Amino acid sequence: MPEKDEEVQARVQAVFGCSPCLWQIEVARRVLAGEDVITIAPTGAGKSLTYWIPLAFAEKGIVMVVLPLKQLGTQFSSSLVSKGFSAISVTAKNTCNTLYSDMKNGKYRVIMFSPEIIEQDSRFDSLIKSKKFMDQLINVVFDKAHCIKEWGSTFRNSYRKLGHLRHLMARRVPYHLGTATLPPSAIEPLKKELRLDPNTTILRLNTDRPNIFFCVQQIEYPINSYHDLTFLIPKDLDPDGPLPVKFLVFFNSCKEAEEGAKFLHSRLPPKLRDKVKWVHSGMTDEFWEDSIHALKIGEDIGECATDAVGLGIDIPDVYIIVQFRVPINMSTWMQCAGRAVRNLLLNGTAILLAEPSMFDGGKAMLKDTLDTNSIPSTHIQIQPAEHGDKENTAPAPGPLSLDQSHKQNASDMLLSAVGVKRPRVGGIDGTAHKPTRSKAPDSKRLPPKSARTNKRHTIGENDITDVHGIPIKVERAMDDFINVENRPEKCQRKVTCIYFGNVGLAPILD
């Protein structure tokens, strides 16, 4: 690799059609020098380019990639082939002896695997034990590296078995981990799990996305009515007029994604009801690709998706992201929010619709009526529920009232900034009917003194509490994000910046 950055930029421009930033060049230099590297950069900042730059400087070298989603493999393969690089995503459908023979003989410059193929296919072990293959291998990339710990400890056990790879390989090759949502506290456990070098290079950029505005709104209507999503589809939408701005709504289960999409269908004129689709792991790869393509080119209005499938959505002009119900941790929420306006020159909004019992007032109400050790959560799942349609959530109690100033919140202003008016809530059929809202204490009410303790658990312990000592079923950072008005930070962006280690790092603006 040339010593001068200008020469590297010229070469990458010629091969990939874009000029790399200096940080991307630095990552490639470290990888080609044989170092383990962890790259933490914002969603949409160009991490994937750092995976491919070594190909331009290592003739006939091979890059192996471990991916959480088949759809990512399809996207990467298409992009690489268009640049002149042979690439293959190994799946249960195409794996065979001939394919492994071709990989060993260097037919493909980029080879992508899922953790399940790595664990379950014995031919993979033979491949990485082959000196012929390993002599060609530049490095192993782990894309969306935060999934290794988050998913490996829940519904994808294969991720937890990746640590043994280094013991099987015919020679040591560098690892490159890429992610946008890896807090400092997760780095050392991840290094230990994958057997990374103790002196692993960590390149951390500010992962904040200044062009995305955050908004938390309390769910006001019964959760299974999905009525809090009405603002996405204006009432009496003209079927022949301009379409609403693009949106993505993320749900915690396949069932909710489908039901949410059906509710939005009911808001649309019959002519437009196919313009909102649901996508989750139960769909075919072809349907997923067609649906995302339709949204990308503007044929569709929006998609209702689960967070796991949502990782593969890369569209530059999705202006509104909605997370329906609180996810268990900050990384999941920020990955979903990061699907907004991938074009950094645009501004978008990420809205978290949170259950009433996620607010301090709701927790205090439960604390007043229930024993501390039996406080239920409106979201007790410890994994994305799309991998089984079982209900992993407890029903929310009646909605809590928000004061008028909170109701007239930033979301309405931000939505209007991108040309969306929040309509007056009406019935599914457009009539004045509303789902019944029950009255409850103010959601901003602080817990009573009897509910507060001096015990402050940390993330990762069995019993997590909020700042007042009340047990919660989500990560502390998520609780602080939702209740930021009652926290010292007073700013949601500050909560995320502290959590992800962005303090003191300049944001990427272009």
Side-chain angles (χ1 to χ4, degrees):
M1 191 172 185
E3 291 185 5
K4 292 184 178 181
D5 293 336
E6 294 81 1
E7 294 180 18
V8 175
Q9 289 174 324
R11 175 62 177 160
V12 175
Q13 177 72 49
V15 174
F16 294 101
C18 60
S19 180
C21 299
L22 295 182
W23 69 267
Q24 293 170 315
I25 294 174
E26 181 63 20
V27 170
R29 288 192 190 281
R30 299 280 184 161
V31 168
L32 290 171
E35 298 180 22
D36 289 340
V37 179
I38 298 176
T39 300
I40 304 166
T43 53
K47 287 183 295 297
S48 59
L49 181 60
T50 67
Y51 305 160
W52 319 134
I53 289 177
L55 295 169
F57 300 96
E59 187 178 356
K60 297 183 179 179
I62 296 171
V63 172
M64 180 188 294
V65 187
V66 181
L67 295 171
L69 299 174
K70 292 183 295 182
Q71 292 87 351
L72 287 171
T74 301
Q75 288 179 11
F76 285 156
S77 294
S78 298
S79 175
L80 288 162
V81 169
S82 70
K83 305 300 181 185
F85 293 97
S86 54
I88 184 74
S89 179
V90 182
T91 67
K93 290 183 179 180
N94 64 13
T95 184
C96 63
N97 291 333
T98 300
L99 176 59
Y100 275 93
S101 177
D102 288 341
M103 289 188 288
K104 185 181 296 186
N105 292 325
K107 180 177 179 179
Y108 301 102
R109 298 290 308 278
V110 179
I111 306 170
M112 290 162 277
F113 295 93
S114 69
E116 287 73 23
I117 292 289
I118 290 173
E119 179 196 9
Q120 299 166 12
D121 195 331
S122 61
R123 290 168 296 194
F124 178 86
D125 289 357
S126 299
L127 182 69
I128 61 174
K129 290 177 181 178
S130 164
K131 186 177 184 303
K132 180 179 181 180
F133 175 75
M134 292 301 294
D135 283 346
Q136 303 171 82
L137 191 63
I138 301 171
N139 71 320
V140 178
V141 171
F142 295 85
D143 188 38
K144 306 290 188 288
H146 62 280
C147 295
I148 296 171
K149 292 293 289 184
E150 289 181 17
W151 294 4
S153 61
T154 53
F155 66 97
R156 292 187 71 173
N157 193 49
S158 295
Y159 260 123
R160 304 192 68 180
K161 301 182 179 180
L162 295 176
H164 76 287
L165 291 184
R166 280 208 148 144
H167 299 309
L168 298 178
M169 290 178 173
R171 75 175 181 92
R172 187 191 182 284
V173 297
Y175 280 5
H176 180 194
L177 282 61
T179 180
T181 55
L182 192 67
S185 60
I187 290 178
E188 288 304 319
L190 191 56
K191 286 169 62 177
K192 183 178 180 181
E193 185 151 337
L194 290 181
R195 276 73 168 176
L196 299 187
D197 190 294
N199 297 316
T200 292
T201 297
I202 300 172
L203 192 147
R204 179 184 291 279
L205 302 182
N206 190 324
T207 57
D208 184 31
R209 292 278 306 281
N211 64 327
I212 299 176
F213 301 95
F214 297 126
C215 176
V216 176
Q217 288 198 167
Q218 184 174 260
I219 292 176
E220 297 183 8
Y221 296 95
I223 287 174
N224 61 4
S225 76
Y226 301 97
H227 214 76
D228 288 87
L229 298 176
T230 54
F231 69 95
L232 292 170
I233 306 293
K235 184 181 178 182
D236 301 325
L237 180 67
D238 182 356
D240 298 313
L243 297 176
V245 296
K246 294 179 186 177
F247 63 82
L248 286 169
V249 186
F250 289 97
F251 297 84
N252 296 323
S253 73
C254 296
K255 181 180 178 182
E256 287 186 343
E258 293 185 13
E259 291 176 347
K262 290 174 182 177
F263 169 74
L264 292 175
H265 289 170
S266 72
R267 301 271 304 170
L268 288 164
K271 181 180 178 180
L272 299 179
R273 285 180 183 167
D274 63 343
K275 301 298 184 183
V276 174
K277 298 183 176 69
W278 63 77
V279 289
H280 54 64
S281 62
M283 326 303 292
T284 65
D285 294 345
E286 293 77 14
F287 179 85
W288 186 92
E289 291 168 17
D290 290 345
S291 298
I292 301 307
H293 179 70
L295 184 61
K296 191 170 188 175
I297 64 175
E299 287 185 358
D300 282 359
I301 301 170
E303 307 288 347
C304 294
T306 47
D307 68 273
V309 172
L311 287 178
I313 299 176
D314 186 3
I315 299 174
D317 58 347
V318 175
Y319 286 96
I320 301 174
I321 298 293
V322 178
Q323 169 67 46
F324 188 81
R325 307 183 73 178
V326 178
I328 197 168
N329 59 47
M330 182 65 77
S331 290
T332 299
W333 164 227
M334 286 296 106
Q335 282 288 339
C336 293
R339 301 306 106 190
V341 284
R342 308 279 281 190
N343 181 342
L344 300 183
L345 298 178
L346 303 176
N347 291 325
T349 307
I351 303 168
L352 176 60
L353 292 178
E355 302 93 318
S357 62
M358 289 295 178
F359 292 87
D360 283 345
K363 290 182 289 180
M365 179 178 67
L366 291 173
K367 176 66 179 178
D368 288 344
T369 57
L370 300 172
D371 178 78
T372 302
N373 294 327
S374 63
I375 291 180
S377 169
T378 56
H379 185 101
I380 61 173
Q381 66 181 43
I382 58 170
Q383 63 191 50
E386 67 158 279
H387 305 276
D389 278 343
K390 275 188 170 181
E391 287 291 336
N392 289 324
T393 56
L400 303 178
S401 299
L402 289 172
D403 64 26
Q404 192 59 33
S405 63
H406 191 71
K407 279 178 157 181
Q408 293 296 118
N409 56 29
S411 174
D412 292 333
M413 292 185 287
L414 295 173
L415 292 176
S416 65
V418 295
V420 178
K421 265 192 177 180
R422 180 164 185 149
R424 182 180 177 185
V425 178
I428 290 177
D429 59 358
T431 66
H433 169 71
K434 293 183 181 181
T436 303
R437 289 189 288 180
S438 58
K439 294 182 179 180
D442 185 355
S443 64
K444 294 181 182 178
R445 180 168 69 94
L446 291 175
K449 289 183 179 180
S450 61
R452 308 179 197 181
T453 71
N454 292 323
K455 189 176 182 182
R456 292 176 62 90
H457 295 283
T458 57
I459 299 303
E461 294 184 356
N462 292 330
D463 299 317
I464 303 174
T465 64
D466 67 8
V467 297
H468 304 296
I470 296 180
I472 52 177
K473 296 295 184 180
V474 295
E475 207 172 43
R476 168 73 73 80
M478 277 305 308
D479 182 74
D480 290 342
F481 185 91
I482 294 166
N483 297 287
V484 74
E485 292 180 9
N486 297 328
R487 302 294 184 266
E489 294 81 9
K490 301 299 181 185
C491 170
Q492 289 154 346
R493 196 172 298 277
K494 187 173 182 180
V495 171
T496 64
C497 285
I498 292 172
Y499 179 79
F500 289 113
N502 292 331
V503 178
L505 299 176
I508 294 179
L509 300 177
D510 54 33

